[in-house]
């Protein structure tokens, strides 16, 4: 067996942070490997690189196959081992902090969420970033680590929610994709919810609900973002006035355009145009 193990902790700073990493590493463990415990004051993330692990947690038993991610609260009982006398190579991150247990609870929703990241092999990037931070002498290292753990957990939660939506609304995916493509093509004219719902052969309120579950945005917000994306392109690549651009992207009232632009982009259209680009 081969284990890489790293420790990062500055007790003077971490007690006040939302998250902090205590240990992390990579383990290519033998077939007889197992750990059984509870009552540990930390949370633990697994990411399987190869082989397969067995995890008993809560009332369930789970297989952690290649590119699967799971996060547990180590205060609870846990048993994990190499599955079926084979091989299990995984990354592990022990972390804690004021927000750690709450975020893990949100992710697992009272049980355990085993997430499939087989289409996202770049998840390994987080581990490489941890390695670099462990070697860093940056005085803000613990703060950067806290932000990194927030990014990791937030991505896991979003991935989990997307997976639920995909499973629940799989039959409606082609309709929602069609509605989204329709908005991207016709953003310059007035588009109503009734029109979109009709295109999808769904009731108005069911369409709004399904669209938001699948895309993460309401139809109105999605259309607004389509319009603003094109507006930003025109602001940078043309000499058209703000009023002209407003009309082109579907805003007859320039005041409404400016208000929407500032709300979503953070600056006015003119400020955006004048901001130097790197």
């Amino acid at each position: 067996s081969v284990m890489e193990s790293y420790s990062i902790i500055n007790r003077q700073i971490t007690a006040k942070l939302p998250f902090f990493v205590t240990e992390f590493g990579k383990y290519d463990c033998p077939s007889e490997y197992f750990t059984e415990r509870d009552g540990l004051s930390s949370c633990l993330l697994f990411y399987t690189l190869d082989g397969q692990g067995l995890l008993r947690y809560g009332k369930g038993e789970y297989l952690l196959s290649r590119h699967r991610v799971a996060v547990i609260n180590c205060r609870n009982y846990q048993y994990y081992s190499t599955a079926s006398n084979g091989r299990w190579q995984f990354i592990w991150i022990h972390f804690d902090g004021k927000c750690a247990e709450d975020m893990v609870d949100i992710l697992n929703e009272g049980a355990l969420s085993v997430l499939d990241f087989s289409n996202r092999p770049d998840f390994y990037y987080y581990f490489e970033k941890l390695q670099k931070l462990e070697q860093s002498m940056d005085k803000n290292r613990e703060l950067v680590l806290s932000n990194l753990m927030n990014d990791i957990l937030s991505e896991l939660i979003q991935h989990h929610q997307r997976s639920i939506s995909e499973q629940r609304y799989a039959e409606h995916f082609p309709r929602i994709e069609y509605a989204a493509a329709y908005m991207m093509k016709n953003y310059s004219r007035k588009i109503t919810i009734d029109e979109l719902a009709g295109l999808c052969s769904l009731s108005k309120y069911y369409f709004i609900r399904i669209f938001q579950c699948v895309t993460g945005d309401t139809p109105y917000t999605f259309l607004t973002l389509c319009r603003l994306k094109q507006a930003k392109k025109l602001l940078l690549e043309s000499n058209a006035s703000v009023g002209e651009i407003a009309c082109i992207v579907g805003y007859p009232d320039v005041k409404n355009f400016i208000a929407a632009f500032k709300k979503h982009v953070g600056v006015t259209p003119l400020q955006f145009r004048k901001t130097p680009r790197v």
Side-chain angles (χ1 to χ4, degrees), residues 35-48:
T35 293
E36 185 175 22
R37 66 186 170 199
D38 62 14
L40 186 65
S41 179
S42 75
C43 299
L44 175 60
L45 181 150
F46 301 93
Y47 173 57
T48 298

Side-chain angles (χ1 to χ4, degrees), residues 128-263:
E128 294 176 327
K129 200 162 186 177
L130 279 172
Q131 288 178 304
K132 290 179 182 178
L133 284 167
E134 188 270 339
Q135 299 165 6
S136 169
M137 299 301 292
D138 187 344
K139 64 179 180 180
N140 295 314
R141 183 175 67 166
E142 278 72 23
L143 182 58
V144 175
L145 276 166
S146 182
N147 290 335
L148 179 61
M149 283 310 306
N150 181 67
D151 290 345
I152 292 172
L153 293 169
S154 295
E155 179 168 353
L156 292 177
I157 290 169
Q158 290 175 52
H159 183 89
H160 179 50
Q161 294 300 325
R162 282 195 301 269
S163 298
I164 292 173
S165 295
E166 288 172 6
Q167 293 168 15
R168 187 176 300 167
Y169 303 115
E171 64 180 295
H172 296 306
F173 254 58
R175 303 183 192 189
I176 299 305
E177 286 181 343
Y178 179 74
Y182 184 83
M183 282 188 272
M184 287 189 278
K185 184 178 180 180
N186 297 283
Y187 61 84
S188 61
R189 66 175 186 79
K190 183 178 179 180
I191 299 174
T192 67
I193 294 295
D194 289 326
E195 179 184 358
L196 293 169
L199 288 171
C200 295
S201 301
L202 298 170
S203 72
K204 177 179 176 178
Y205 297 106
Y206 191 56
F207 167 74
I208 294 171
R209 178 180 156 199
I210 298 294
F211 191 95
Q212 186 164 13
C213 286
V214 171
T215 68
D217 292 316
T218 65
Y220 176 78
T221 300
F222 186 89
L223 179 59
T224 298
L225 294 176
C226 288
R227 287 169 168 166
L228 296 183
K229 180 180 179 181
Q230 183 63 20
K232 288 192 284 186
K233 184 178 180 181
L234 291 170
L235 285 164
L236 296 177
E237 298 178 3
S238 78
N239 294 319
S241 69
V242 170
E244 289 170 335
I245 291 172
C247 288
I248 291 170
V249 300
Y251 284 92
D253 188 330
V254 68
K255 290 183 179 178
N256 289 340
F257 168 65
I258 293 171
F261 196 98
K262 188 169 185 180
K263 177 182 176 182

Side-chain angles (χ1 to χ4, degrees), residues 22-45:
T22 54
E23 287 184 295
F24 69 98
K26 182 165 67 174
Y27 192 19
D28 193 345
C29 50
S31 59
E32 66 274 13
Y33 168 78
F34 78 93
T35 293
E36 185 175 22
R37 66 186 170 199
D38 62 14
L40 186 65
S41 179
S42 75
C43 299
L44 175 60
L45 181 150

Side-chain angles (χ1 to χ4, degrees), residues 261-278:
F261 196 98
K262 188 169 185 180
K263 177 182 176 182
H264 290 278
V265 183
V267 294
T268 66
L270 279 179
Q271 288 171 329
F272 179 83
R273 173 175 267 172
K274 292 176 181 177
T275 302
R277 295 294 180 276
V278 178

Side-chain angles (χ1 to χ4, degrees), residues 44-186:
L44 175 60
L45 181 150
F46 301 93
Y47 173 57
T48 298
L49 296 170
D50 203 4
Q52 197 171 61
L54 173 70
L55 172 62
R56 295 185 186 127
Y57 180 76
K59 297 180 180 179
E61 185 171 287
Y62 310 88
L63 286 175
L64 304 183
S65 304
R66 192 166 184 243
H67 296 318
R68 270 25 176 216
V69 181
V71 188
I72 64 174
N73 185 336
C74 293
R75 294 184 189 277
N76 304 326
Y77 171 81
Q78 77 241 219
Y79 170 92
Y80 49 93
S81 67
T82 307
S84 305
N85 295 320
R87 179 192 181 210
W88 187 25
Q89 184 186 52
F90 64 96
I91 289 168
W92 51 275
I93 305 172
H94 270 292
F95 64 96
D96 207 342
K98 292 184 178 239
C99 299
E101 291 189 9
D102 288 339
M103 287 288 273
V104 173
D105 287 346
I106 292 170
L107 173 64
N108 288 327
E109 298 181 314
L112 181 72
S113 301
V114 178
L115 309 178
D116 182 359
F117 270 76
S118 54
N119 292 325
R120 287 287 310 279
D122 57 326
F123 193 82
Y124 188 77
Y125 160 79
Y126 288 123
F127 180 72
E128 294 176 327
K129 200 162 186 177
L130 279 172
Q131 288 178 304
K132 290 179 182 178
L133 284 167
E134 188 270 339
Q135 299 165 6
S136 169
M137 299 301 292
D138 187 344
K139 64 179 180 180
N140 295 314
R141 183 175 67 166
E142 278 72 23
L143 182 58
V144 175
L145 276 166
S146 182
N147 290 335
L148 179 61
M149 283 310 306
N150 181 67
D151 290 345
I152 292 172
L153 293 169
S154 295
E155 179 168 353
L156 292 177
I157 290 169
Q158 290 175 52
H159 183 89
H160 179 50
Q161 294 300 325
R162 282 195 301 269
S163 298
I164 292 173
S165 295
E166 288 172 6
Q167 293 168 15
R168 187 176 300 167
Y169 303 115
E171 64 180 295
H172 296 306
F173 254 58
R175 303 183 192 189
I176 299 305
E177 286 181 343
Y178 179 74
Y182 184 83
M183 282 188 272
M184 287 189 278
K185 184 178 180 180
N186 297 283

